[in-house]
Amino acid sequence: MEAEASGLQAEQLLQLLEQVACHRDKQAFALLFKHFAPKIRAFGVQRLGQQGLALDLLQETMTTVWTKAHLFNGEKGAVSTWVFTIMRNQCFDMLRRVQHNREDAYGDDIWPLFEDCDSGDGLGDHMLSEKLLKNMDKLPLLQRQVVQGVYLQELSQQELAERLGIPIGTVKSRLRLGLEKLRSYLEKHHD
């Protein structure tokens, strides 16, 4: 077990993980951490594009390894395969959170295009409403339903998903696509 951490073999990794699972062995976990950390960080930087997010990925992955070591089944695969599967799933979760945060900002992005239209006499609001509705009609039906539901009917994404009988992920995708198209239409015709 005194082998160089970066040169651990499959059998050594299995023994270390078993010690973590059965005895909560911190030294064994430290060796696993030293072995996997560079690979997970490199993957995180490549996929997430930020050193901070890569470190978060490393922490989330290895925390899961620590807490779920007892669930590892050596008959289904190698320790490294198990750890890298956890890493990949954590990465997908992080990308979804980042994407969700971007989606929340899309709706705010279309309104600044018309700030200069507001002259204070109400005509700007009328022009804004007219342009938005005109361009909203250009959206495909399914995307238009979602954009109207969220922004005109002020339904939450969950409420809209239940009302339309579709998964919330579908609502989010249609909303994102609809807002991107709407923003594109508005930017194209905004002088």
Side-chain angles (χ1 to χ4, degrees):
M1 230 51 76
E2 298 297 317
E4 180 85 22
S6 62
L8 295 174
Q9 300 298 314
E11 187 61 36
Q12 292 170 312
L13 291 172
L14 179 60
Q15 290 172 357
L16 291 171
L17 189 62
E18 287 173 350
Q19 289 176 347
V20 170
C22 296
H23 307 291
R24 290 295 192 217
D25 187 326
K26 291 179 182 177
Q27 286 183 321
F29 181 74
L31 289 172
L32 286 171
F33 194 96
K34 281 174 87 173
H35 177 77
F36 287 109
K39 296 169 180 83
I40 294 171
R41 279 186 61 201
F43 180 85
V45 169
Q46 178 189 21
R47 297 295 173 141
L48 301 169
Q50 295 179 17
Q51 192 68 244
L53 290 176
L55 291 174
D56 288 347
L57 176 64
L58 172 59
Q59 181 179 355
E60 293 293 326
T61 301
M62 294 310 292
T63 298
T64 302
V65 168
W66 174 260
T67 58
K68 297 191 176 185
H70 64 284
L71 298 176
F72 174 74
N73 182 349
E75 294 174 7
K76 291 185 177 181
V79 171
S80 58
T81 303
W82 184 70
V83 171
F84 292 139
T85 299
I86 292 170
M87 172 196 68
R88 189 191 73 217
N89 292 340
Q90 290 290 343
C91 185
F92 287 150
D93 289 345
M94 292 176 77
L95 288 169
R96 279 189 211 104
R97 284 192 298 266
V98 167
Q99 183 64 32
H100 176 71
N101 291 341
R102 284 188 196 137
E103 287 170 4
D104 288 345
Y106 284 138
D108 296 337
D109 288 347
I110 62 174
W111 307 118
L113 294 174
F114 294 96
E115 285 178 351
D116 58 342
C117 291
D118 191 4
S119 60
D121 58 4
L123 290 175
D125 286 343
H126 178 70
M127 287 175 54
L128 169 64
S129 298
E130 191 176 305
K131 286 182 181 182
L132 278 174
L133 291 174
K134 179 182 170 189
N135 286 298
M136 204 174 294
D137 288 339
K138 294 179 186 175
L139 293 175
L141 175 63
L142 298 176
Q143 293 171 14
R144 185 170 62 237
Q145 280 180 324
V146 173
V147 172
Q148 287 175 334
V150 170
Y151 288 100
L152 299 180
Q153 298 170 12
E154 297 182 5
L155 298 171
S156 72
Q157 293 177 358
Q158 184 64 44
E159 291 170 331
L160 193 56
E162 291 169 4
R163 188 173 282 187
L164 295 174
I166 58 176
I168 192 165
T170 303
V171 169
K172 290 174 185 266
S173 297
R174 289 179 186 172
L175 181 61
R176 186 188 80 249
L177 291 170
L179 290 175
E180 286 174 351
K181 286 179 184 173
L182 190 56
R183 180 176 173 81
S184 172
Y185 296 150
L186 293 173
E187 285 177 339
K188 185 176 180 182
H189 300 312
H190 182 42
D191 297 318

